[in-house]
Amino acid sequence: MNSVETIVHPQVREESTRARAENGAEVVVVRRPGFAVSAAHVGLRFGSNDLRFRLGDRIVEVPPGSAHYLEHKLFEGRDEKVFDRFARIGAEFNGGTSFTTTTYYFTASQAFDAGLDVLLDFVQDVLLTEERVEKERGIIEQEVRMYDDHPSFHGVFLLHRALYHRHPIRHSPGGSVDDVRRITVDHLRDCWQAFYRPENLRIAIAGDLDPEAVLARVEGMLRPAVLTPPVERLVVEEPPTPAASLLEEDFRVTRPHVYVGWRDPEGPGLGDSGLRRRLLGSLALDLVFDLASPIHEDLYQRGVVDDGFRASLSVDADWSYAAAGGESDEPERFLAEVAGAAESARDRVREDDFERVRRAAFGRLVSSLQSCSAVAGHALHAMLQEVAPFAALDLLAGLRFDEVRVRMDELFREEHRAAAVLRPEGG
Amino acid sequence: MDLLCVCEPRFKRALLEIHVEVPLDGDSPARTLLVSVLEQGSAGHPSRLALARALQEAWGADLDLWADRNGEVHRLTTRVSWVGESLLPAGADVVSGLLPLAREVWEAPRRGEDGRPFRAEVVEREREHLVKRIRSLRDDRAAWAEQRFLAHMCADEPYGRPPWGDEAAMAAVTGDDLERVRLAALSGGRVLAVAVGPVEEEPIEEFLAEWFRDRAEPPPLPAVVQRRPGERREVREELPGEQARFHYGFRCPLPEDEAGREALLLGVSVLGGGVHSRLFRKVREERSLAYGISARLRSRKGLLTVAAGIQAEHADEVRDRVDAELADLRRAGPAQEELDHARRQLEQRLVALSESPGALAAYLVREEVLGLRRAPEDRRAALRSVTPAAVAAELERPIPDTVYLLAPTQP
């Protein structure tokens, strides 16, 4: 291991050791004396948005859902199902595919080293055959159908199609049933070859463990780096303003579901500047739509929104938007009033509101880092965003009220806004 | 009033849950509305906004109220959680303000005009929200299917009735009803509190004792209705959608003895308790019929239920597979390896209780209401002595009752 560095994080009473393996993979170990269940999370920056890339001298295009399909196939293992290998040590495990990352993890109260070997083995080795790929198709179709039955899932992706012209975030991570039916073994092999390189792995481990011994074990399990140039992602050019001001669809809902979103012209990138922008956006959203905001309370008291109203921020390197949504019998009123409230909020928030919201954000972040799996998941997410573990705490403490107001002004603009409405079928 | 307390300074967040249990009955819709109205403000914090601000000031503390069905009991839960004070700046005092807040929302709600127990416009607004929510329950196909399944299987039992009632029952609730059920819950409900995390037991005990000091011993909760099934019933309903939801219910009273309970639990785990289970392997991995299929024991009611999302045309095959695997486990018992996998998973989950305040609190409450009060370490020891033969014997208990399918509407 190279550049081994141990840092104490007093705000959360944690101690992390960061290192870079010989092959280039990054590793963080958080030592947590007294914890009985240890956790290891591994991930890489390859997600459902990676639909077009240059592999050698070929341009590869894969159907939406390919990264998720490949995640499923990794669990098959080369010689033995990963399920069986983890079951033997009683470990809990899972994986997940987001727009930009794929992650795998396990937790174990015994035989942690054996579990770590399994984890680092199956993410560096896969056997893809037509028969194996075909066998998974029905399972994934059922997973996709399960999500398709959720109005909120459907509504969010309708909003994505309103906000973005061509960006792959328009597709759900699992793809549609039709997408899943188009995925072939060759698509998955290309994805594997392009992205699942040992040097691309990011590994976060937390538990009552000796960091030095863990790092040595990880180093021993990692395979050599692939000696070809890194894959080139072929990014579609995305105009800076929304694709449509409003998209509507009939869906299987009793009442209209209404979503309004504001997108940034471009994403904030990775690293500390990206994280800083994300935190500012999050605080801006809280100042407008948290239950403690008079803006939200006013909308609630006047019956514009009900207790199902939600707001969220979605950000990664190349996209960023804030959204609010809920059910309403008067979608037009909902859209006009919610949009109006957010776009006029900048002049209505006060510095004491900001301090209170920041204080709450700090408390929630600190206390979310409870289990070893939560800590390892946080550290992995940080690495995949190219920031240090727990960096959010220091950044949060350094944010200023005027910065949040500027962020609100940038984000909540009419020209950045789009909306989506699911209307009851036959209604 | 019982307090279960685990002081664990390693936890970064503390929680206190106060459960008030009363029978599921015709007043359940009123109680469901009551918790929504109580969240709208108190005498000291006269709006939802004021409550939310107090919680933000307390470094992101939470105060949540909800009502749900637990066995045949209507459980009203108040949960307060807060970040451990050792992680906050010196002198930060969170807990001394939070506990009185939890009591205030119940004991000193915001009153209405002219002596009304609650503000009329708040009752009207929250009632309307709940009526609309009940109307749109079917939009969540998975939750709706489970609701309909339980309604069919337990049609003449309290467990089969959703605690929120129906639109008409909710629309008929008045402010006076809310006050009546509030007072009845506080004076006659069974109170069980659990505190976990960086907490001190004594102040919490004193706080609860002061709150509930004048109460008489609450009446015992009614016994759970256990209906013996006759012929297995098959129910099919349709709703527009992408995926069919399959449910299969068995009557399955818990064994009286500890060894039997652990053997049954392991048997259910081998049948459908995770990726090691028979159903996961046969239905998902071998036949690719489902993304997930699982079996669970509803201990307080005494039901074993199996659920999966599938294509409707595969429902008979999945039902027959459940029957076949259960029959095989009864006849031959699980293979030693299957049993070991299930046991290790359950043991790990028991160990993991020590890492999560929420999970530990839920475990303690569950043990208390079942009258078992077992420490996780004792349960782990009991699990180790279960044999394949014991599992086979305990799996004779489940008796098929209802197969339910919510299928997408035929075009």
Side-chain angles (χ1 to χ4, degrees), chain A residues 14 84 92 135 300 370, chain B residues 12 126 133 281 288 349:
Chain A
E14 303 288 359
D84 291 330
E92 303 269 5
K135 182 229 139 202
Y300 189 80
Q370 177 56 58
Chain B
K12 288 175 173 155
E126 297 305 313
R133 203 189 302 165
R281 280 158 194 274
S288 302
R349 287 181 181 172

Side-chain angles (χ1 to χ4, degrees), chain A residues 13-14 81 84 88 92 109 135 142 149 254 300-301 307 329 356 359 367 369-370, chain B residues 12-13 56-57 86 125-126 132-133 139 141 242-243 281 285 288 311 344 348-349 355:
Chain A
R13 309 255 164 98
E14 303 288 359
K81 285 181 185 293
D84 291 330
R88 270 203 291 280
E92 303 269 5
S109 58
K135 182 229 139 202
Q142 287 307 320
D149 267 340
T254 309
Y300 189 80
Q301 293 290 345
D307 53 357
D329 295 323
R356 196 186 58 248
R359 170 190 281 218
S367 54
L369 299 167
Q370 177 56 58
Chain B
K12 288 175 173 155
R13 202 166 181 89
Q56 277 192 340
E57 290 286 0
S86 69
R125 184 186 65 221
E126 297 305 313
K132 288 180 176 175
R133 203 189 302 165
D139 294 349
R141 299 298 188 272
E242 292 288 324
Q243 187 180 55
R281 280 158 194 274
E285 290 297 296
S288 302
Q311 292 300 96
R344 286 195 197 102
Q348 153 124 351
R349 287 181 181 172
E355 318 277 288

